Amino acid sequence: MFSWILRGCRDECSASDQLKQVYLLPPESVFPHRIRKSQDRKARDVFMAKEAVLQKKISQEMERAKEFTKSGNKQAAMQCLKRKKYYESQMSQVGSVQLRINTKEKMIADHMGNK
């Protein structure tokens, strides 16, 4: 019955030590949803902050592009618009990650509600 446990037993570790490791699991392995929730919250907060930073950079690049256009520096204005486009793509990636995190949190909440 416990042959899968005993197969991995090394010389310095007895079978009873391995059984203790299996049955005396740390709380995070018994309740992994608690850890996932806190990790998801932290990740969501990080991505919200990143989204705010990207939004600020996008508006700054637009302002700089307008200034360069008024002064007649077309090349610099184009560079600003390219950076703005890059920041917008980063923002869409952050949005998709946030959506996945929210979906995962809802799935965990539904799973815990069904138990």
Side-chain angles (χ1 to χ4, degrees):
M1 181 172 159
F2 293 107
S3 61
W4 59 275
I5 294 172
L6 300 176
R7 262 186 267 142
C9 187
R10 297 188 177 112
D11 294 332
E12 66 272 357
C13 180
S14 69
S16 63
D17 289 341
Q18 284 212 345
L19 286 174
K20 287 178 188 175
Q21 289 175 357
V22 171
Y23 289 109
L24 300 175
L25 298 172
E28 55 269 1
S29 62
V30 177
F31 301 109
H33 62 278
R34 290 183 185 167
I35 292 174
R36 278 188 244 139
K37 280 184 180 180
S38 66
Q39 288 173 345
D40 289 344
R41 281 190 208 112
K42 288 177 187 176
R44 186 179 60 220
D45 293 342
V46 167
F47 284 113
M48 287 177 69
K50 189 168 188 171
E51 187 177 30
V53 168
L54 287 171
Q55 188 64 40
K56 184 178 176 182
K57 286 182 179 184
I58 289 170
S59 62
Q60 286 175 349
E61 291 299 329
M62 277 302 294
E63 292 300 318
R64 289 181 65 200
K66 287 178 185 177
E67 290 174 13
F68 285 129
T69 303
K70 286 179 184 176
S71 66
N73 193 347
K74 252 184 163 179
Q75 189 175 10
M78 289 300 291
Q79 290 297 320
C80 289
L81 293 175
K82 285 180 183 179
R83 280 192 296 270
K84 175 188 164 273
K85 187 174 181 180
Y86 172 74
Y87 293 144
E88 286 174 343
S89 68
Q90 291 289 312
M91 190 112 143
S92 69
Q93 289 177 356
V94 167
S96 65
V97 170
Q98 284 179 328
L99 181 63
R100 278 188 266 142
I101 290 172
N102 288 339
T103 304
K104 185 177 166 184
E105 285 179 340
K106 287 180 183 178
M107 287 175 59
I108 290 172
D110 291 343
H111 179 70
M112 293 310 296
N114 290 338
K115 283 191 172 184

